[in-house]
Amino acid sequence: MMTVVYVAPSKTIAERIRSALEREGIMAVLRESGKKNSARLTVEIIVPQSEAEEAQAVLFHALQR
């Protein structure tokens, strides 16, 4: 089972977050949400549920920088 751990405001930011997670050995998948031709497009970062807690810790430290 997969779970959303973060919703990024853009694909660029989501890709940076996915890279940070993957450097720590956490598999991450991106899924666009919202309207594609709208300013409301966001990107969900999804990880295996078993790695969600670790992913949130990695995100916390990455976003503190």
Side-chain angles (χ1 to χ4, degrees):
M1 181 138 203
M2 302 289 277
T3 188
V4 175
V5 292
Y6 190 77
V7 179
S10 72
K11 191 165 186 167
T12 302
I13 292 170
E15 288 172 349
R16 285 188 213 154
I17 292 169
R18 177 176 58 187
S19 293
L21 291 169
E22 289 178 346
R23 278 193 301 275
E24 296 297 323
I26 300 169
M27 183 189 80
V29 176
L30 303 182
R31 179 174 64 196
E32 292 181 355
S33 60
K35 296 181 179 178
K36 290 193 183 249
N37 294 328
S38 167
R40 301 186 131 223
L41 177 68
T42 57
V43 182
E44 298 173 336
I45 293 94
I46 304 165
V47 302
Q49 189 172 6
S50 62
E51 295 183 327
E53 191 173 321
E54 182 181 357
Q56 288 173 339
V58 170
L59 286 170
F60 177 78
H61 291 294
L63 295 172
Q64 293 296 323
R65 295 180 199 164

